[in-house]
Coordinates of all heavy atoms in Angstrom, one line a residue:
G1 N 68.2 78.2 84.9 CA 67.3 78.1 86.0 C 66.2 77.0 85.7 O 66.0 76.7 84.5
P2 N 65.4 76.7 86.7 CA 64.4 75.7 86.5 C 63.3 76.0 85.6 O 62.6 75.1 85.1 CB 63.9 75.4 88.0 CG 64.3 76.6 88.7 CD 65.5 77.2 88.0
D3 N 63.1 77.3 85.3 CA 61.9 77.7 84.5 C 62.3 77.6 83.0 O 61.4 77.6 82.2 CB 61.6 79.2 84.8 CG 61.0 79.4 86.2 OD1 60.5 78.4 86.7 OD2 61.1 80.5 86.7
N4 N 63.5 77.4 82.6 CA 63.8 77.2 81.2 C 63.4 75.8 80.8 O 63.2 74.9 81.6 CB 65.3 77.3 81.0 CG 65.7 77.4 79.5 OD1 64.8 77.8 78.7 ND2 67.0 77.2 79.2
L5 N 62.9 75.7 79.5 CA 62.4 74.6 79.0 C 63.5 74.0 77.9 O 64.0 74.7 77.1 CB 61.1 74.7 78.4 CG 60.4 73.5 77.7 CD1 58.8 73.6 77.9 CD2 60.6 73.6 76.1
I6 N 63.7 72.7 77.9 CA 64.5 72.1 76.8 C 63.6 71.0 76.1 O 63.1 70.2 76.9 CB 65.7 71.6 77.4 CG1 66.6 71.0 76.3 CG2 65.6 70.5 78.4 CD1 68.1 70.7 76.6
A7 N 63.6 71.1 74.8 CA 62.7 70.3 74.0 C 63.4 69.3 73.1 O 64.3 69.9 72.3 CB 61.7 71.2 73.2
F8 N 63.2 68.1 73.2 CA 63.8 67.1 72.3 C 62.7 66.8 71.3 O 61.8 66.2 71.6 CB 64.2 65.8 73.0 CG 65.4 66.0 73.9 CD1 65.3 66.8 75.1 CD2 66.6 65.3 73.7 CE1 66.4 66.9 76.0 CE2 67.7 65.5 74.6 CZ 67.6 66.3 75.7
M9 N 62.9 67.2 70.0 CA 61.9 67.1 69.1 C 62.3 66.3 67.8 O 63.4 66.6 67.3 CB 61.5 68.5 68.7 CG 61.1 69.5 69.7 SD 59.5 69.0 70.6 CE 58.3 69.0 69.2
N10 N 61.4 65.6 67.2 CA 61.6 65.1 65.9 C 60.4 65.7 65.0 O 59.6 66.5 65.5 CB 61.6 63.5 65.8 CG 60.4 63.0 66.4 OD1 59.2 63.5 66.3 ND2 60.5 61.9 67.1
G11 N 60.6 65.4 63.7 CA 59.6 66.1 62.8 C 58.8 65.0 62.1 O 59.0 63.8 62.2
P12 N 58.0 65.5 61.2 CA 57.0 64.5 60.4 C 57.8 63.5 59.5 O 57.3 62.6 59.1 CB 56.1 65.4 59.7 CG 56.8 66.7 59.5 CD 57.7 66.9 60.7
L13 N 59.0 63.9 59.1 CA 59.8 63.0 58.2 C 60.8 62.1 58.9 O 61.4 61.3 58.4 CB 60.4 63.8 57.1 CG 59.5 64.6 56.2 CD1 60.3 65.1 55.0 CD2 58.3 63.8 55.7
T14 N 61.0 62.4 60.2 CA 62.0 61.7 61.1 C 61.7 60.3 61.1 O 60.6 59.9 61.4 CB 62.1 62.4 62.4 OG1 62.4 63.8 62.4 CG2 63.3 61.7 63.2
G15 N 62.7 59.4 61.0 CA 62.6 58.0 61.2 C 61.7 57.3 60.1 O 61.2 56.2 60.4
T16 N 61.6 57.9 59.0 CA 60.8 57.4 57.9 C 61.7 56.9 56.8 O 62.9 56.8 56.9 CB 59.8 58.3 57.3 OG1 60.6 59.4 56.6 CG2 59.0 59.0 58.4
Q17 N 61.1 56.5 55.6 CA 61.9 56.1 54.5 C 62.6 57.3 53.8 O 63.5 57.0 52.9 CB 61.1 55.4 53.4 CG 60.6 54.0 53.9 CD 59.5 53.6 52.9 OE1 58.4 54.0 52.7 NE2 59.9 52.4 52.2
V18 N 62.3 58.4 54.1 CA 63.0 59.6 53.6 C 64.5 59.5 53.8 O 64.9 59.3 54.9 CB 62.5 60.9 54.2 CG1 63.2 62.2 53.7 CG2 60.9 61.1 53.8
T19 N 65.2 59.8 52.8 CA 66.8 59.7 52.9 C 67.3 60.7 54.0 O 66.8 61.9 54.1 CB 67.5 59.9 51.6 OG1 67.0 61.1 51.0 CG2 67.2 58.8 50.6
M20 N 68.2 60.3 54.8 CA 68.9 61.1 55.7 C 67.9 61.8 56.8 O 68.0 62.9 57.2 CB 69.6 62.3 55.0 CG 70.5 61.9 53.9 SD 71.5 63.3 53.4 CE 71.9 62.8 51.7
S21 N 67.0 60.9 57.2 CA 65.9 61.3 58.1 C 66.1 60.8 59.6 O 65.2 60.5 60.3 CB 64.5 60.8 57.7 OG 64.4 59.4 57.6
G22 N 67.4 60.7 60.0 CA 67.8 60.4 61.3 C 68.0 61.4 62.3 O 68.7 61.2 63.3
R23 N 67.5 62.6 62.1 CA 68.0 63.8 62.9 C 67.0 64.0 64.0 O 65.8 63.6 64.1 CB 68.0 65.0 62.0 CG 68.8 65.0 60.8 CD 70.3 65.0 61.1 NE 70.8 66.3 61.5 CZ 72.1 66.5 61.9 NH1 73.0 65.5 61.8 NH2 72.4 67.7 62.2
I24 N 67.5 64.7 65.0 CA 66.6 65.2 66.1 C 67.0 66.7 66.5 O 68.2 67.1 66.3 CB 66.8 64.4 67.4 CG1 65.8 64.7 68.5 CG2 68.2 64.4 68.0 CD1 65.7 63.6 69.6
A25 N 66.1 67.5 66.9 CA 66.4 68.9 67.2 C 66.2 69.1 68.8 O 65.2 68.6 69.4 CB 65.4 69.8 66.5
I26 N 67.1 69.7 69.4 CA 67.0 70.0 70.7 C 67.0 71.6 70.9 O 68.0 72.3 70.5 CB 68.3 69.4 71.6 CG1 68.2 67.9 71.4 CG2 68.2 69.8 73.0 CD1 69.4 67.1 71.9
C27 N 65.9 72.1 71.5 CA 65.6 73.5 71.4 C 65.4 74.0 72.8 O 64.9 73.4 73.7 CB 64.3 73.8 70.7 SG 64.2 73.0 69.0
T28 N 66.1 75.2 73.1 CA 66.0 75.8 74.5 C 66.5 77.3 74.4 O 66.9 77.7 73.3 CB 67.0 75.0 75.4 OG1 66.8 75.3 76.7 CG2 68.4 75.2 75.1
K29 N 66.5 77.9 75.5 CA 67.1 79.2 75.6 C 68.5 79.0 76.0 O 68.9 78.3 76.9 CB 66.4 80.0 76.6 CG 66.9 81.4 76.8 CD 66.2 82.3 77.7 CE 66.8 83.8 77.6 NZ 66.0 84.7 78.6
S30 N 69.4 79.6 75.1 CA 70.9 79.3 75.3 C 71.5 80.0 76.5 O 71.2 81.2 76.7 CB 71.6 79.7 74.0 OG 73.0 79.7 74.2
P31 N 72.4 79.3 77.2 CA 73.1 80.0 78.3 C 74.3 80.8 77.8 O 75.0 81.5 78.6 CB 73.6 78.8 79.1 CG 73.8 77.7 78.2 CD 72.6 77.8 77.2
I32 N 74.5 80.9 76.5 CA 75.6 81.6 76.0 C 75.4 83.1 76.1 O 76.1 83.9 76.7 CB 75.9 81.2 74.5 CG1 76.5 79.7 74.5 CG2 77.0 82.2 73.9 CD1 76.8 79.2 73.1
E33 N 74.2 83.7 75.5 CA 73.9 85.0 75.7 C 72.4 85.2 75.8 O 71.9 86.2 75.7 CB 74.5 85.9 74.6 CG 75.9 86.2 74.8 CD 76.5 87.4 73.9 OE1 75.7 87.8 73.0 OE2 77.5 87.9 74.3
G34 N 71.6 84.1 76.0 CA 70.2 84.2 76.2 C 69.4 84.2 74.9 O 68.2 84.5 75.0
Q35 N 70.0 83.8 73.7 CA 69.2 83.8 72.5 C 68.5 82.4 72.5 O 68.9 81.5 73.2 CB 70.1 84.0 71.3 CG 71.1 82.9 71.2 CD 72.5 83.2 71.8 OE1 72.5 83.6 73.0 NE2 73.6 83.1 71.0
V36 N 67.5 82.2 71.6 CA 67.0 80.9 71.4 C 67.9 80.1 70.5 O 68.5 80.6 69.7 CB 65.6 81.0 70.7 CG1 65.7 81.5 69.2 CG2 64.8 79.7 70.8
T37 N 68.0 78.8 70.8 CA 68.9 77.9 70.0 C 68.2 76.6 69.8 O 67.3 76.2 70.5 CB 70.2 77.7 70.9 OG1 71.2 77.2 70.0 CG2 70.0 76.8 72.0
D38 N 68.6 76.0 68.7 CA 68.3 74.7 68.4 C 69.6 73.9 68.0 O 70.4 74.5 67.2 CB 67.3 74.6 67.3 CG 67.7 75.2 66.0 OD1 67.8 76.3 66.0 OD2 67.9 74.4 65.1
S39 N 69.8 72.7 68.5 CA 71.0 72.0 68.1 C 70.6 70.5 67.7 O 69.8 69.9 68.4 CB 71.9 72.0 69.3 OG 73.2 71.5 68.9

């Protein structure tokens, strides 16, 4: 539904010289069974 929020988030080490720091987290309420999820 429109009230759900989906967040595209990076962290304090994302995109820096830290090795393997190219990740992004996408967080929302899952339509699978209504649990919180991050992918």
Side-chain angles (χ1 to χ4, degrees):
D3 292 337
N4 194 15
L5 178 141
I6 184 167
F8 290 67
M9 304 295 300
N10 54 41
L13 303 189
T14 306
T16 68
Q17 291 175 293
V18 172
T19 53
M20 310 186 204
S21 61
R23 307 286 290 178
I24 190 167
I26 301 175
C27 308
T28 191
K29 183 175 186 177
S30 172
I32 292 179
E33 282 198 344
Q35 65 268 49
V36 68
T37 194
D38 61 289
S39 191

